[in-house]
Each structure stands twice: as C-alpha cells, then as structure tokens.
Amino acid sequence: MSRFISRHEQWLQYKHRGTDRGKTKSTQFRFPIQGGTAMGVRWMFHYTAVIVISRSGVSLSIIPEVPVFKNDEGIEQDDQTFYELGFAALQTTRHRRLDIGLQDLMGQGQILAAENGPQVFIFTPRENATALRWQRKIDQLSRNLQDLFDQAPEVVGYTVRTMEETTSARPTRARPYAGWGSRAIVEVNVNDDTLRIPPYRNTADTIWLGKWRLWLEDIVIREEIFCPF
C-alpha cells in the first residue's frame, strides 16, 4: 500500500527545509468512480495531522510543531498565534489548485459537504504512553474543528519513531508493509461489496457499497462502509 501511494504520488509530507518549513499545508483527493486507492501522510516527526474522510474523498493537512505550537526558541505559542498559524490556515484557501481551505471543501458538491458525512481525525504526538505532548493546544484545535464540522474530532496520539522505523524496508506482518513507522493512511475501495434492493413491482436492483479504512502505522483506527452514490 505504501508503494502504491508513492507510485501515484499521493503522500502529504512535511519537509524541514525549503519553502515547506514552518507552513501549514493541505491536499485533497476525490475517490475514484470504481476500484480502490490509498493516500496518506508520512514522516510524522512531531507534527500534527488533520485527516477528514467522507464518502466522496479525503482531505489531508499538516500542522508543523514549529512555529505553530512553539517558536524557534522552544517557547509555547500563545493561543491567538496558535489559532492564526494553525486552524485559521487550514480553514482558509491559499491556493485554488493545491491548498484549498476546509471551509471551501465544505461547500455544496464538494468532498467535505455535510451530505457526504465527513469524519474528522487529529493525529498528534504523545509525550508518553498516556499523555499528549500538546494537550491544551489540541483541545483548542478540537473545539475549532467541532465548531466548523458540527462534530467532535477523534484525537489519536502517535509515537514519534526513529528514522530506521520510518524508512526501513523490512517487511511487517500487517499492512502497510515496508517502512511502517510515522505514517497514517486512508485506504478505500468503492466496490467493496454489493447490496441487493428488495424487488418492487417485479424488479430488483443491486448497488455497490464502498469501504474505507484509516490506518496508523499497522493498526486500523477506524473503518466504515458507505454508499458512494
């Protein structure tokens, strides 16, 4: 699955050098009309990812730790700065083709429109086995996203892995196989199963049902069956 995403260039990742540094960034994928696909975020070294999945497509976003959660000196940002560099940047469209804001993606006919049943997930680093590194900031981000989508997001803490765990080619027993660490993947098949409609006036029909799975490394966080049409 990871190789499929790489081959189709459907990763969102944060680069610590160049024009990406310090910027919140997003991308979107509409589900295919038939068949399956996968997309995800990788190299989750300390940053927070927001993933929104609907029956129509996926929005992937990255919020870097510096300067959004803390500044270059390691001092935690105040709430207003965090809001402006984090949630406000996700909400607002900055580039019509590459970086469409969540607000515009929720418009009628868009992939995150209410009729498509979007579900929101936040992936953020753990400080230890029981606590998130930025609990208060994540609570603020969760409230902002809840106000936007009218639902509370599911918050998932992840362990910051070593570079070897992230890029190793050693196979694992479960998907995603190689280089399993520090990544979250959305896997979808819009033709996963069929549903037969009861006969009406001597006619019957069959519709396709899709299924998506949300992975954190090699663990399924959530899966859902949906009607693509």
Side-chain angles (χ1 to χ4, degrees), residues 36-54:
T37 189
M39 63 288 294
V41 294
R42 65 176 175 178
W43 300 348
M44 293 198 297
F45 297 123
H46 310 291
Y47 68 68
T48 292
V50 176
I51 299 178
V52 189
I53 311 171
S54 78

Side-chain angles (χ1 to χ4, degrees), residues 1 31 36-39 51-58 116-121 123 151 154 185-192 209-215 220-228:
M1 191 156 49
F31 290 157
T37 189
M39 63 288 294
I51 299 178
V52 189
I53 311 171
S54 78
R55 68 178 188 180
S56 180
V58 176
N116 289 326
Q119 298 188 43
V120 187
F121 301 86
F123 290 85
Q151 63 172 283
E154 181 174 342
I185 289 175
V186 180
E187 175 191 16
V188 63
N189 182 1
V190 298
N191 305 123
D192 184 73
L209 295 177
K211 177 187 283 187
W212 58 256
R213 292 187 181 93
L214 176 61
W215 298 80
V220 176
I221 300 299
R222 179 76 65 83
E223 64 178 14
E224 185 165 304
I225 297 172
F226 65 96
C227 179

